[in-house]
């Protein structure tokens, strides 16, 4: 496997871009022409070759640039990475999981050599070659969770399981969709989901918690979540809302195609072996409207989903004010033809736009 890593930015001049390969493998989140909250969990047992689901931790063309952006965020706000004292063992579990997974799934990019507790980790894209003693924090430049998540795309929340509940007791969170680790640290599953509309009344979170509490080691799960972001900005945190919130007002009919992005999170869940903690990776993917429209099925479906979404959800996801402009743009790509079931673009079988 050979990946050409982009030299790009997720702030200021926004040079982020998706190749044709990245567009075709984008994790489009809508399997039908409408959307409502659901638990939508499935086993994370891989997926079609080349898809974002194939490997345990997807590595793509944005890897190096995303890690540079994470370092910038941490320099400005170190509290984006926190771990309560009792979570150190879980941090070592997570380090092992990511190192083993990446070295097995991407052997051309990552190597892990182990001789007892003497480990050597090689990360070729980032130019890292580091020997350390497993379980000895003094041999790492950061704590184990921070060390490895500075080298892994997406956010990572580590959940302690006790008293039939999950507690957000550690995390590396620099690419979040408007929530704060510093605010949520130490909260339980229901507390940090409190702002979500409709889902509580529907019993979604009670069913989700029951499922998550029973995830076993070696049987990870996954789901998709989504929202909207103006400009390809990874760091949409409450702490920086004054910087990115105003960007919603910069949309025009002329620029919405390249400025408005569908933001999709591939959320996975792994049981950790020693600590029995549950790690919750949240991998963010961005794709502009104009890139999504290159798949006729996605163009038709996205228009219908956004058109029919309840106002409460459009408000919660932060695009209620821009929805009319979004629909004006998207309606150009919906000719009323039926769409095939499932999330895949079906480029070989879906009819081209009829108008």
């Amino acid at each position: 496997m050979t990946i050409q890593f982009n030299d790009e930015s997720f702030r200021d001049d926004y040079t982020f871009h998706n190749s044709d390969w990245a567009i075709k493998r984008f994790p489009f989140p809508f399997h039908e022409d409408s959307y409502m909250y659901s638990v939508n969990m499935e086993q994370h047992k891989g997926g079609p070759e080349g898809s974002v689901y194939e490997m345990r931790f997807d590595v793509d063309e944005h890897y190096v640039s995303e890690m540079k952006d994470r370092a910038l965020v941490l320099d400005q706000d170190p509290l984006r990475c926190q771990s309560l004292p009792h979570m150190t063992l879980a941090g070592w579990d997570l380090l092992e999981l990511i190192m083993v997974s990446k070295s097995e799934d991407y052997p051309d990019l990552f190597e892990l050599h182990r001789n007892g507790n003497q480990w050597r980790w090689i990360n070729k894209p980032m130019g890292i070659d580091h020997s350390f003693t497993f379980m000895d924090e003094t041999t790492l430049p950061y704590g184990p969770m921070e060390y490895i998540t500075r080298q892994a795309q997406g956010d990572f929340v580590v959940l302690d399981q006790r008293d039939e509940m999950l507690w957000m007791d550690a995390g590396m969170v620099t690419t979040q969709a408007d929530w704060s680790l510093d605010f949520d640290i130490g909260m339980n599953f229901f507390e940090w989901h409190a702002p979500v509309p409709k889902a509580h009344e529907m019993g979604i979170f009670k069913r989700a918690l029951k499922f998550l509490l029973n995830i076993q080691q070696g049987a990870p799960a996954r789901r998709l979540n989504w929202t909207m972001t103006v400009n390809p900005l990874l760091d949409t945190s409450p702490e920086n809302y004054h910087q990115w919130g105003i960007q919603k007002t910069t949309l025009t009919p002329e620029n919405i195609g390249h400025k408005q992005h569908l933001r999709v999170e591939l959320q996975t869940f792994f049981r950790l072996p020693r600590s029995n903690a549950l790690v919750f990776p949240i991998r963010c993917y961005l794709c502009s409207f104009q890139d999504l429209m290159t798949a006729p099925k996605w163009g038709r479906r996205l228009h219908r989903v956004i058109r029919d979404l309840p106002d409460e959800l459009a408000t919660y996801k932060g695009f209620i004010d821009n929805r009319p402009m979004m629909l004006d743009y998207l309606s150009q790509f919906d000719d009323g033809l039926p769409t095939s079931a499932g999330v895949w673009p079906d480029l070989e079988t879906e009819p081209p736009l009829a108008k």
Side-chain angles (χ1 to χ4, degrees), residues 33 112 137 140 160 165 181 191 264 271 330:
D33 289 353
L112 178 61
E137 286 189 77
L140 293 176
D160 192 29
M165 180 55 68
L181 174 68
E191 291 169 338
V264 176
R271 179 68 63 190
L330 293 171

Side-chain angles (χ1 to χ4, degrees), residues 129-350:
D129 186 339
H130 184 203
S131 297
F132 64 97
T133 302
F134 185 67
M135 300 289 285
D136 183 352
E137 286 189 77
T138 65
T139 61
L140 293 176
Y142 309 98
M145 181 191 71
E146 180 172 356
Y147 176 75
I148 196 57
T149 55
R150 281 177 174 265
Q151 303 175 52
Q153 288 167 280
D155 290 334
F156 291 82
V157 176
V158 189
L159 308 173
D160 192 29
Q161 182 165 326
R162 59 184 188 272
D163 303 325
E164 295 300 307
M165 180 55 68
L166 295 171
W167 304 82
M168 188 184 297
D169 286 350
M172 168 69 85
V173 181
T174 68
T175 67
Q176 71 271 52
D178 199 13
W179 66 277
S180 170
L181 174 68
D182 192 40
F183 184 79
D184 289 353
I185 193 82
M187 286 188 180
N188 70 38
F189 185 81
F190 294 133
E191 291 169 338
W192 82 70
H193 282 115
V196 182
K198 287 186 173 288
H200 292 276
E201 295 89 335
M202 296 168 64
I204 296 295
F205 292 122
K206 287 184 179 179
R207 296 199 298 274
L209 177 63
K210 183 177 180 180
F211 180 92
L212 294 173
L213 289 172
N214 288 286
I215 287 179
Q216 301 298 308
Q217 187 182 347
R222 67 185 179 217
R223 68 183 295 269
L224 294 177
N225 194 19
W226 69 277
T227 187
M228 295 285 179
T229 301
V230 175
N231 291 320
L233 183 64
L234 285 177
D235 177 20
T236 55
S237 61
E239 289 87 346
N240 283 337
Y241 183 80
H242 62 287
Q243 297 175 5
W244 61 266
I246 192 67
Q247 296 181 33
K248 297 180 185 181
T249 67
T250 65
L251 285 184
T252 68
E254 292 72 34
N255 68 26
I256 190 171
H258 74 268
K259 285 178 73 75
Q260 183 65 67
H261 288 69
L262 178 60
R263 184 189 192 100
V264 176
E265 295 174 347
L266 172 56
Q267 303 178 351
T268 50
F269 305 87
F270 296 81
R271 179 68 63 190
L272 299 176
R274 301 170 185 83
S275 60
N276 198 45
L278 192 70
V279 65
F280 174 25
I282 310 167
R283 174 67 192 283
C284 172
Y285 295 85
L286 295 164
C287 195
S288 69
F289 273 15
Q290 66 183 16
D291 284 346
L292 289 168
M293 297 306 103
T294 61
K297 172 181 171 179
W298 290 353
R300 295 180 177 106
R301 179 162 294 170
L302 186 60
H303 172 248
R304 298 166 195 180
V305 168
I306 300 305
R307 180 193 64 198
D308 300 336
L309 195 73
D311 287 350
E312 303 98 303
L313 295 189
T315 301
Y316 171 69
K317 291 180 180 292
F319 62 85
I320 187 71
D321 291 341
N322 286 328
R323 178 154 68 167
M325 192 188 311
M326 294 164 65
L327 290 175
D328 283 345
Y329 176 84
L330 293 171
S331 65
Q332 304 171 75
F333 302 91
D334 186 0
D335 51 16
L337 291 177
T339 57
S340 58
V343 297
W344 308 107
D346 298 329
L347 295 171
E348 303 302 320
T349 56
E350 197 77 1

